[in-house]
Every structure is written in structure tokens, then in C-alpha cells.
Coordinates of all heavy atoms in Angstrom, one line a residue:
M19 N -20.4 11.4 -1.4 CA -20.6 12.8 -1.7 C -19.9 13.3 -2.9 O -18.7 13.1 -3.0 CB -20.3 13.6 -0.4 CG -20.8 15.0 -0.4 SD -20.3 15.9 1.0 CE -21.2 15.1 2.3
E20 N -20.5 13.9 -3.8 CA -19.9 14.4 -5.0 C -19.8 16.0 -4.9 O -20.9 16.6 -4.6 CB -20.6 14.0 -6.3 CG -20.7 12.5 -6.4 CD -19.3 12.0 -6.9 OE1 -18.6 12.7 -7.7 OE2 -19.0 10.9 -6.5
F21 N -18.7 16.5 -5.3 CA -18.5 18.0 -5.4 C -18.2 18.5 -6.8 O -17.5 17.7 -7.4 CB -17.4 18.5 -4.4 CG -17.8 18.3 -3.0 CD1 -17.2 17.3 -2.2 CD2 -18.6 19.1 -2.2 CE1 -17.4 17.1 -0.9 CE2 -18.9 19.0 -0.9 CZ -18.3 18.0 -0.2
T22 N -18.6 19.6 -7.2 CA -18.2 20.2 -8.4 C -16.8 20.8 -8.2 O -16.3 21.0 -7.0 CB -19.2 21.3 -8.8 OG1 -19.1 22.4 -7.9 CG2 -20.6 20.8 -9.0
K23 N -16.2 21.1 -9.3 CA -14.9 21.7 -9.2 C -14.9 23.1 -8.5 O -14.0 23.4 -7.7 CB -14.3 22.0 -10.6 CG -13.8 20.8 -11.3 CD -13.1 21.0 -12.6 CE -12.7 19.8 -13.3 NZ -12.0 20.0 -14.6
E24 N -16.0 23.9 -8.6 CA -16.2 25.2 -8.0 C -16.3 24.9 -6.4 O -15.7 25.7 -5.7 CB -17.3 25.9 -8.5 CG -17.2 26.4 -10.0 CD -17.5 25.3 -11.0 OE1 -18.1 24.2 -10.6 OE2 -17.1 25.4 -12.1
Q25 N -17.1 23.9 -6.1 CA -17.3 23.6 -4.7 C -15.9 23.2 -4.0 O -15.6 23.7 -2.9 CB -18.3 22.6 -4.4 CG -19.7 23.1 -4.8 CD -20.7 21.9 -4.7 OE1 -20.4 20.8 -5.2 NE2 -21.9 22.2 -4.3
L26 N -15.2 22.4 -4.7 CA -13.9 21.9 -4.2 C -12.9 23.1 -4.1 O -12.2 23.2 -3.0 CB -13.2 20.9 -5.1 CG -13.9 19.5 -4.9 CD1 -13.4 18.6 -6.1 CD2 -13.7 18.9 -3.6
S27 N -13.0 24.0 -5.0 CA -12.1 25.1 -5.0 C -12.5 26.1 -3.8 O -11.6 26.5 -3.0 CB -12.3 25.9 -6.3 OG -11.4 27.1 -6.3
E28 N -13.7 26.3 -3.5 CA -14.2 27.1 -2.5 C -13.7 26.5 -1.1 O -13.3 27.2 -0.2 CB -15.7 27.3 -2.5 CG -16.3 28.1 -1.4 CD -15.8 29.5 -1.4 OE1 -15.4 30.0 -2.5 OE2 -15.8 30.1 -0.3
L29 N -14.0 25.1 -0.9 CA -13.6 24.4 0.3 C -12.1 24.6 0.5 O -11.7 24.8 1.7 CB -14.1 23.0 0.3 CG -15.6 22.8 0.4 CD1 -15.9 21.3 0.1 CD2 -16.1 23.1 1.8
T30 N -11.3 24.4 -0.5 CA -9.9 24.5 -0.4 C -9.4 25.8 0.0 O -8.6 25.9 0.9 CB -9.2 24.0 -1.8 OG1 -9.7 22.8 -2.1 CG2 -7.7 24.1 -1.7
C31 N -10.0 26.8 -0.6 CA -9.6 28.2 -0.3 C -10.0 28.5 1.2 O -9.2 29.1 1.9 CB -10.3 29.2 -1.2 SG -9.7 29.2 -2.9
R32 N -11.1 28.1 1.6 CA -11.6 28.4 3.0 C -10.6 27.7 4.0 O -10.3 28.2 5.0 CB -13.0 27.9 3.3 CG -14.1 28.7 2.7 CD -15.4 28.2 3.1 NE -16.5 28.8 2.4 CZ -17.7 28.4 2.4 NH1 -18.0 27.4 3.3 NH2 -18.7 29.0 1.7
H33 N -10.2 26.4 3.6 CA -9.4 25.7 4.6 C -7.9 26.4 4.6 O -7.3 26.4 5.6 CB -9.3 24.3 4.2 CG -8.8 23.3 5.2 ND1 -9.6 22.8 6.2 CD2 -7.5 22.9 5.5 CE1 -8.8 22.1 7.0 NE2 -7.6 22.1 6.6
T34 N -7.4 26.7 3.4 CA -6.1 27.3 3.4 C -5.9 28.6 4.0 O -4.9 29.1 4.5 CB -5.5 27.3 2.0 OG1 -6.4 28.1 1.1 CG2 -5.3 25.9 1.4
D35 N -7.1 29.3 4.2 CA -7.0 30.7 4.9 C -6.8 30.5 6.4 O -6.5 31.4 7.0 CB -8.4 31.4 4.6 CG -8.4 32.0 3.2 OD1 -7.3 32.0 2.5 OD2 -9.5 32.2 2.7
K36 N -7.1 29.3 7.0 CA -6.9 29.1 8.4 C -5.4 28.9 8.7 O -4.7 28.6 7.8 CB -7.7 27.8 8.8 CG -9.2 27.9 8.6 CD -9.8 26.6 9.0 CE -11.3 26.6 8.7 NZ -11.9 25.3 9.0
E37 N -5.2 29.1 10.0 CA -3.8 28.9 10.5 C -3.4 27.4 10.2 O -4.1 26.5 10.6 CB -3.6 29.3 12.0 CG -2.2 29.1 12.5 CD -2.1 29.6 13.9 OE1 -3.0 30.2 14.5 OE2 -1.1 29.2 14.6
N38 N -2.3 27.2 9.6 CA -1.8 25.8 9.3 C -2.7 25.1 8.4 O -2.7 23.9 8.2 CB -1.6 24.9 10.6 CG -0.5 25.5 11.5 OD1 0.5 26.0 11.0 ND2 -0.7 25.3 12.8
G39 N -3.6 25.9 7.7 CA -4.5 25.3 6.8 C -3.9 24.5 5.6 O -4.4 23.4 5.2
L40 N -2.9 25.1 5.0 CA -2.3 24.5 3.8 C -1.5 23.2 4.3 O -1.6 22.2 3.6 CB -1.3 25.4 3.2 CG -0.6 24.9 2.0 CD1 -1.6 24.5 0.9 CD2 0.4 25.9 1.4
Q41 N -0.9 23.2 5.4 CA -0.2 22.0 5.9 C -1.3 20.9 6.2 O -1.0 19.8 5.8 CB 0.6 22.3 7.2 CG 1.3 21.2 7.7 CD 2.1 21.5 8.9 OE1 2.4 22.7 9.2 NE2 2.5 20.5 9.7
D42 N -2.3 21.3 6.8 CA -3.4 20.3 7.1 C -3.9 19.7 5.9 O -4.2 18.4 5.7 CB -4.5 21.0 7.9 CG -4.2 21.3 9.3 OD1 -3.2 20.8 9.8 OD2 -4.8 22.1 9.9
L43 N -4.2 20.6 4.9 CA -4.7 20.1 3.6 C -3.8 19.1 2.9 O -4.2 18.1 2.4 CB -5.1 21.3 2.7 CG -5.9 21.0 1.4 CD1 -7.2 20.4 1.8 CD2 -6.1 22.4 0.7
L44 N -2.5 19.5 2.8 CA -1.5 18.5 2.2 C -1.4 17.3 3.0 O -1.3 16.2 2.4 CB -0.2 19.2 2.2 CG 0.0 20.4 1.2 CD1 1.3 21.1 1.4 CD2 -0.2 19.9 -0.2
E45 N -1.5 17.3 4.3 CA -1.5 16.1 5.1 C -2.6 15.2 4.8 O -2.5 14.0 4.6 CB -1.5 16.5 6.6 CG -0.9 15.5 7.5 CD -0.8 16.0 9.0 OE1 0.0 16.9 9.2 OE2 -1.5 15.5 9.8
I46 N -3.8 15.8 4.7 CA -5.0 15.0 4.3 C -4.9 14.4 3.0 O -5.2 13.2 2.8 CB -6.3 16.0 4.4 CG1 -6.5 16.4 5.9 CG2 -7.5 15.2 3.8 CD1 -7.6 17.5 6.0
M47 N -4.5 15.1 2.0 CA -4.4 14.6 0.7 C -3.3 13.5 0.6 O -3.5 12.5 -0.1 CB -3.9 15.7 -0.3 CG -5.1 16.7 -0.5 SD -4.8 18.0 -1.8 CE -3.2 18.6 -1.5
L48 N -2.2 13.6 1.2 CA -1.2 12.6 1.3 C -1.7 11.3 2.0 O -1.5 10.2 1.5 CB 0.1 13.0 2.0 CG 1.0 14.0 1.2 CD1 2.1 14.5 2.0 CD2 1.5 13.3 -0.1
E49 N -2.4 11.4 3.0 CA -3.0 10.3 3.7 C -4.0 9.6 2.8 O -4.0 8.4 2.7 CB -3.7 10.7 5.1 CG -2.7 11.1 6.2 CD -3.4 11.7 7.4 OE1 -4.6 11.7 7.4 OE2 -2.6 12.0 8.3
R50 N -4.8 10.3 2.2 CA -5.8 9.7 1.3 C -5.1 9.0 0.1 O -5.5 7.9 -0.3 CB -6.8 10.8 0.7 CG -7.7 11.3 1.8 CD -8.6 10.2 2.4 NE -9.3 9.5 1.4 CZ -9.8 8.2 1.6 NH1 -9.7 7.6 2.7 NH2 -10.4 7.6 0.6
L51 N -4.0 9.6 -0.4 CA -3.3 9.0 -1.5 C -2.7 7.6 -1.0 O -2.7 6.6 -1.8 CB -2.2 9.9 -2.0 CG -1.3 9.4 -3.1 CD1 -2.2 9.2 -4.3 CD2 -0.3 10.4 -3.4
M52 N -2.1 7.6 0.1 CA -1.5 6.4 0.7 C -2.5 5.3 0.8 O -2.3 4.2 0.5 CB -0.7 6.7 1.9 CG 0.6 7.5 1.7 SD 1.6 7.7 3.2 CE 0.6 8.6 4.3
V53 N -3.7 5.7 1.4 CA -4.8 4.7 1.6 C -5.2 4.1 0.2 O -5.4 3.0 0.1 CB -6.0 5.3 2.4 CG1 -7.2 4.4 2.3 CG2 -5.6 5.6 3.8
S54 N -5.4 5.0 -0.7 CA -5.8 4.5 -2.1 C -4.8 3.7 -2.7 O -5.1 2.6 -3.4 CB -6.0 5.8 -3.0 OG -7.1 6.5 -2.6
E55 N -3.5 4.0 -2.5 CA -2.4 3.1 -3.1 C -2.4 1.7 -2.4 O -2.3 0.7 -3.1 CB -1.0 3.8 -2.8 CG -0.7 4.9 -3.8 CD 0.6 5.6 -3.5 OE1 1.1 5.5 -2.4 OE2 1.2 6.1 -4.5
R56 N -2.7 1.7 -1.1 CA -2.6 0.5 -0.4 C -3.9 -0.4 -0.9 O -3.8 -1.6 -1.1 CB -2.8 0.6 1.1 CG -1.4 0.9 1.8 CD -1.6 0.8 3.3 NE -1.1 2.1 3.7 CZ -1.7 3.0 4.4 NH1 -3.0 2.8 4.8 NH2 -1.2 4.2 4.7
R57 N -5.0 0.2 -1.0 CA -6.2 -0.5 -1.5 C -6.0 -1.0 -2.9 O -6.3 -2.2 -3.1 CB -7.4 0.5 -1.4 CG -8.7 -0.2 -1.8 CD -9.9 0.7 -1.8 NE -10.1 1.3 -0.4 CZ -10.1 2.7 -0.2 NH1 -10.0 3.5 -1.2 NH2 -10.2 3.1 1.1
E58 N -5.4 -0.2 -3.8 CA -5.2 -0.7 -5.2 C -4.2 -1.9 -5.2 O -4.4 -2.8 -5.9 CB -4.7 0.4 -6.0 CG -4.5 0.1 -7.4 CD -4.1 1.3 -8.3 OE1 -4.5 2.4 -8.0 OE2 -3.4 1.1 -9.2
Y59 N -3.1 -1.8 -4.4 CA -2.1 -2.8 -4.3 C -2.7 -4.2 -3.8 O -2.6 -5.2 -4.4 CB -1.0 -2.4 -3.3 CG -0.1 -3.6 -3.0 CD1 0.9 -4.0 -3.9 CD2 -0.2 -4.3 -1.8 CE1 1.8 -5.0 -3.7 CE2 0.7 -5.4 -1.6 CZ 1.7 -5.7 -2.5 OH 2.5 -6.8 -2.2
F60 N -3.6 -4.1 -2.8 CA -4.1 -5.2 -2.3 C -5.2 -5.9 -3.2 O -5.3 -7.1 -3.3 CB -4.8 -5.1 -0.9 CG -3.8 -4.9 0.1 CD1 -3.8 -3.8 1.0 CD2 -2.8 -5.8 0.4 CE1 -2.9 -3.6 2.0 CE2 -1.9 -5.6 1.4 CZ -1.9 -4.5 2.2
Q61 N -5.9 -5.0 -4.0 CA -6.8 -5.5 -5.0 C -6.0 -6.2 -6.1 O -6.4 -7.3 -6.6 CB -7.6 -4.4 -5.5 CG -8.7 -3.9 -4.6 CD -9.5 -2.7 -5.2 OE1 -9.1 -2.0 -6.1 NE2 -10.5 -2.3 -4.5
E62 N -5.0 -5.7 -6.5 CA -4.2 -6.2 -7.6 C -3.6 -7.6 -7.1 O -3.4 -8.5 -7.9 CB -3.0 -5.3 -8.0 CG -3.5 -4.1 -8.8 CD -2.4 -3.1 -9.1 OE1 -1.2 -3.4 -8.7 OE2 -2.7 -2.1 -9.7
E63 N -3.2 -7.6 -5.9 CA -2.5 -8.9 -5.4 C -3.6 -9.9 -5.0 O -3.3 -10.9 -4.5 CB -1.6 -8.5 -4.2 CG -0.5 -7.7 -4.5 CD 0.5 -8.3 -5.5 OE1 0.8 -9.6 -5.4 OE2 0.9 -7.7 -6.5
S64 N -4.9 -9.6 -5.1 CA -6.0 -10.5 -4.7 C -5.8 -11.0 -3.3 O -6.1 -12.2 -3.0 CB -6.0 -11.7 -5.7 OG -6.3 -11.2 -7.0
I65 N -5.6 -10.1 -2.3 CA -5.5 -10.6 -1.0 C -6.9 -10.4 -0.3 O -7.6 -9.5 -0.6 CB -4.5 -9.7 -0.2 CG1 -3.1 -9.8 -0.7 CG2 -4.5 -10.0 1.3 CD1 -2.0 -8.9 -0.1
A66 N -7.3 -11.4 0.5 CA -8.6 -11.4 1.1 C -8.9 -10.2 1.9 O -7.9 -9.7 2.6 CB -8.9 -12.7 1.9
G67 N -10.1 -9.7 1.9 CA -10.4 -8.5 2.8 C -10.0 -8.6 4.2 O -9.6 -7.6 4.8
E68 N -10.3 -9.7 4.8 CA -10.0 -9.9 6.2 C -8.4 -9.8 6.5 O -8.0 -9.2 7.4 CB -10.4 -11.3 6.7 CG -10.4 -11.4 8.2 CD -11.0 -12.7 8.6 OE1 -12.2 -12.9 8.3 OE2 -10.3 -13.5 9.3
Q69 N -7.6 -10.3 5.6 CA -6.1 -10.2 5.8 C -5.8 -8.8 5.6 O -4.9 -8.4 6.3 CB -5.5 -11.1 4.7 CG -5.7 -12.6 4.9 CD -5.1 -13.4 3.8 OE1 -5.3 -13.0 2.6 NE2 -4.5 -14.5 4.1
V70 N -6.3 -8.1 4.7 CA -6.0 -6.7 4.5 C -6.3 -5.9 5.7 O -5.5 -5.1 6.2 CB -6.8 -6.1 3.2 CG1 -6.6 -4.6 3.1 CG2 -6.3 -6.8 2.0
Q71 N -7.5 -6.2 6.3 CA -8.0 -5.4 7.5 C -6.9 -5.7 8.6 O -6.5 -4.6 9.3 CB -9.3 -5.8 7.9 CG -10.0 -4.9 8.8 CD -10.3 -3.5 8.1 OE1 -10.1 -3.4 6.9 NE2 -10.8 -2.6 8.8
R72 N -6.5 -6.9 8.8 CA -5.6 -7.2 9.9 C -4.2 -6.6 9.7 O -3.6 -6.0 10.6 CB -5.4 -8.7 10.1 CG -6.5 -9.4 10.8 CD -6.2 -10.8 11.3 NE -5.7 -11.6 10.2 CZ -6.4 -12.5 9.5 NH1 -7.7 -12.7 10.0 NH2 -5.9 -13.2 8.6
L73 N -3.7 -6.6 8.5 CA -2.5 -6.0 8.1 C -2.6 -4.5 8.3 O -1.7 -3.9 8.9 CB -2.1 -6.3 6.6 CG -0.8 -5.7 6.1 CD1 0.3 -6.3 7.0 CD2 -0.6 -6.0 4.7
L74 N -3.6 -3.8 7.8 CA -3.7 -2.4 8.1 C -3.8 -1.9 9.6 O -3.2 -1.0 10.0 CB -4.9 -1.8 7.3 CG -4.7 -1.8 5.7 CD1 -6.1 -1.3 5.1 CD2 -3.6 -0.9 5.3
Q75 N -4.6 -2.8 10.3 CA -4.6 -2.5 11.8 C -3.2 -2.6 12.4 O -2.8 -1.9 13.3 CB -5.6 -3.5 12.4 CG -7.0 -3.2 12.1 CD -8.0 -4.3 12.6 OE1 -7.5 -5.4 13.1 NE2 -9.2 -4.0 12.5
T76 N -2.4 -3.6 12.0 CA -1.1 -3.9 12.5 C -0.2 -2.7 12.2 O 0.5 -2.2 13.0 CB -0.5 -5.1 12.0 OG1 -1.3 -6.2 12.3 CG2 0.9 -5.4 12.6
V77 N -0.2 -2.2 10.9 CA 0.6 -1.1 10.5 C 0.2 0.1 11.2 O 1.1 0.9 11.8 CB 0.4 -0.9 8.9 CG1 1.0 0.5 8.5 CG2 1.0 -2.0 8.2
C78 N -1.1 0.4 11.4 CA -1.6 1.6 12.2 C -1.1 1.5 13.6 O -0.7 2.5 14.2 CB -3.1 1.7 12.1 SG -3.7 2.2 10.4
L79 N -1.2 0.3 14.2 CA -0.8 0.2 15.6 C 0.7 0.4 15.8 O 1.1 1.1 16.7 CB -1.2 -1.2 16.1 CG -0.8 -1.5 17.5 CD1 -1.5 -0.6 18.5 CD2 -1.1 -3.0 17.9
K80 N 1.5 -0.1 14.9 CA 2.9 0.1 15.0 C 3.2 1.6 14.8 O 4.1 2.2 15.5 CB 3.6 -0.7 13.9 CG 3.7 -2.2 14.2 CD 4.4 -2.9 13.1 CE 4.5 -4.4 13.4 NZ 5.2 -5.2 12.4
A81 N 2.6 2.3 13.9 CA 2.8 3.7 13.7 C 2.4 4.5 14.9 O 3.1 5.4 15.4 CB 2.1 4.3 12.5
Y82 N 1.3 4.1 15.5 CA 0.8 4.8 16.7 C 1.8 4.6 17.9 O 2.2 5.6 18.6 CB -0.6 4.3 17.1 CG -1.0 4.7 18.5 CD1 -1.6 6.0 18.6 CD2 -1.0 3.9 19.6 CE1 -1.9 6.5 19.8 CE2 -1.4 4.4 20.9 CZ -1.9 5.7 21.0 OH -2.4 6.2 22.2
L83 N 2.3 3.4 18.1 CA 3.2 3.1 19.2 C 4.6 3.8 19.0 O 5.2 4.3 20.0 CB 3.4 1.6 19.2 CG 2.2 0.8 19.7 CD1 2.6 -0.7 19.6 CD2 1.9 1.2 21.2
R84 N 4.9 4.0 17.7 CA 6.2 4.7 17.5 C 6.1 6.2 17.9 O 7.0 6.8 18.4 CB 6.5 4.7 16.0 CG 7.4 3.5 15.5 CD 8.1 3.8 14.2 NE 7.1 4.2 13.2 CZ 6.5 3.5 12.3 NH1 6.8 2.2 12.2 NH2 5.7 3.9 11.4
H85 N 4.9 6.7 17.8 CA 4.7 8.2 18.0 C 4.5 8.4 19.5 O 4.6 9.5 20.1 CB 3.6 8.8 17.2 CG 4.0 8.9 15.8 ND1 5.0 9.6 15.4 CD2 3.5 8.3 14.6 CE1 5.1 9.5 14.0 NE2 4.1 8.8 13.6
T86 N 4.0 7.3 20.3 CA 3.7 7.5 21.7 C 4.8 7.1 22.6 O 4.7 7.5 23.8 CB 2.4 6.8 22.0 OG1 2.6 5.3 21.8 CG2 1.2 7.3 21.3
V87 N 5.8 6.4 22.1 CA 6.8 6.0 23.0 C 8.0 7.0 23.0 O 8.2 7.8 22.2 CB 7.4 4.6 22.5 CG1 8.6 4.2 23.3 CG2 6.3 3.6 22.6

């Protein structure tokens, strides 16, 4: 899905007007940035897709367990 700058601006303004909207928006952007960084790192290191998937699942599971215990 492609958005114009005006559309992105409108969506951002609508979201930040909500309670905790700015915090949610920043959280989403940081998460996307981290995912992009991981993807780029693995592409640069030429790690096979299956290995990347297992590694990311392990990292996510460990993070989940840290927050639930």
C-alpha cells in the first residue's frame, strides 16, 4: 500500500489526537525500524531465510517470556 505525504500526515494527526496516540505511534515506528534493521543485517550477512525465521522466533519467544514471568 502506497500513501502520499498528505495521506500520511493526515493519518499521523488522527492517531496522535487519540489518548496515548503519540506514544503508540512512536512505538510502532521503533518496532518497524528494528525489524528493518534486522532484515538488512541478515541480508548483508547472507544468512538463509529459514535460519533467520528460527532466530527471530527465538528472540520473540524470549522477549515474550521475559514480560510474562
Side-chain angles (χ1 to χ4, degrees):
M19 189 180 297
E20 297 286 324
F21 291 104
T22 65
K23 287 183 181 182
E24 292 81 16
Q25 290 171 321
L26 286 173
S27 179
E28 179 65 27
L29 289 170
T30 302
C31 288
R32 285 186 191 173
H33 197 83
T34 55
D35 287 341
K36 297 177 183 177
E37 185 177 343
N38 295 328
L40 183 58
Q41 182 178 344
D42 291 342
L43 193 57
L44 289 173
E45 203 173 294
I46 291 166
M47 291 188 315
L48 285 172
E49 287 174 3
R50 291 300 306 158
L51 178 62
M52 290 186 294
V53 167
S54 296
E55 285 179 332
R56 275 188 239 122
R57 185 178 300 124
E58 186 174 327
Y59 170 78
F60 288 127
Q61 286 175 348
E62 288 176 1
E63 295 298 317
S64 299
I65 297 175
E68 189 175 305
Q69 291 173 321
V70 171
Q71 199 65 6
R72 281 197 304 259
L73 180 60
L74 290 176
Q75 287 173 350
T76 302
V77 168
C78 290
L79 179 60
K80 286 181 180 178
Y82 173 76
L83 291 174
R84 269 197 312 263
H85 291 298
T86 58
V87 175

